[in-house]
Amino acid sequence: MNHAENTSSLDSASRGLLALALVVFAVGQYLAFKAPPDVQQGYLIRILYVHVGAAWVAYLAFFVAMLYAVLYLWKQDAAYDRLSAASAEIGLLFMLLTLFGGMMWARPTWGVFWTWEPRLTTSAILTAFYVGYFLLRHAIEDPEFRAKAAAAAAILGVVNIPINYMSVYWWRSIHQTATFDVINRKTHMDGSMVVAMLVNLLAITLFYLAFLRIKGQIAARAAAREEWDE
């Protein structure tokens, strides 16, 4: 095994994904600033062009972490455990970005950065769960037992996603309804806003795919270095 190869720079596919994500994000931001202000929120709606995409991609990342966890339990391949952890870590990052964007939106809208209404409360619970997921991973020294315990947690974690999303439907609160109402198949946004939202969502999804690939490569190289050092 060549130690130098395991510490090499990112491959062309990773660099290409990152570059594409940056280009699409730039286009998305241009469309967001070009779109008209919302009737009720004015230009504050520009925060949502990133906030909504970050939330959806956090959901996606946690779901992918669950899929890789299932694959690990089935195949007992450490690569799946590494990818599950990588996706969960990226999901947590985007969930924190979601909370930050929501707080920046809430302060001028509600007059406070935070209030314990259902959507925010379930978002905090979802975030805390994945913080606990990584504390669990760091608390267990045995690699095999750690991977199995983490896989069980990753599978359990996705239960929180539908609760978080449906909270604005199940409990009446000050939080606005979903920007894209997939339940009733409608949105209150006009065409240019929808296009800007979707382009930003695509950009954030591309960032997720790039980060997952890069994080997976870094984890694989770290595992290879440990084997090489042994």
Side-chain angles (χ1 to χ4, degrees), residues 69 72-82 133 136-137 139-153 226:
Y72 170 76
L73 293 175
W74 179 28
K75 298 290 189 179
Q76 297 294 299
D77 187 338
Y80 292 130
D81 173 57
R82 292 194 296 267
Y133 167 88
L136 174 69
R137 293 191 69 95
I140 301 174
E141 293 185 2
D142 180 73
E144 185 175 351
F145 180 51
R146 177 176 62 234
K148 289 180 178 178
E226 291 180 1

Side-chain angles (χ1 to χ4, degrees), residues 149-183:
I155 294 169
L156 179 63
V158 297
V159 173
N160 292 303
I161 294 176
I163 296 173
N164 181 242
Y165 179 78
M166 294 300 296
S167 60
V168 294
Y169 297 97
W170 291 342
W171 300 290
R172 300 293 297 178
S173 70
I174 61 175
H175 196 286
Q176 70 178 49
T177 55
T179 303
F180 288 113
D181 188 343
V182 297
I183 303 300

Side-chain angles (χ1 to χ4, degrees), residues 1 22 31 33 36 54 85 89 108 121 129 137 142 159 164 208 230:
M1 184 180 296
L22 287 168
L31 293 173
F33 278 87
E89 184 175 351
T121 300
F129 180 91
R137 293 191 69 95
D142 180 73
V159 173
N164 181 242
Y208 162 70
E230 292 175 0

Side-chain angles (χ1 to χ4, degrees), residues 17-90:
L17 266 176
L18 271 178
L20 180 60
L22 287 168
V23 170
V24 176
F25 185 72
V27 173
Q29 289 302 294
Y30 169 77
L31 293 173
F33 278 87
K34 187 178 177 181
D38 184 72
V39 174
Q40 296 179 333
Q41 302 178 48
Y43 287 109
L44 190 63
I45 195 171
R46 289 172 177 167
I47 295 175
L48 299 187
Y49 291 120
V50 174
H51 172 74
V52 172
W56 276 98
V57 171
Y59 291 164
L60 172 64
F62 294 146
F63 184 73
V64 171
M66 181 271 291
L67 291 179
Y68 277 124
V70 171
L71 285 172
Y72 170 76
L73 293 175
W74 179 28
K75 298 290 189 179
Q76 297 294 299
D77 187 338
Y80 292 130
D81 173 57
R82 292 194 296 267
L83 287 169
S84 180
S87 192
E89 184 175 351
I90 298 165

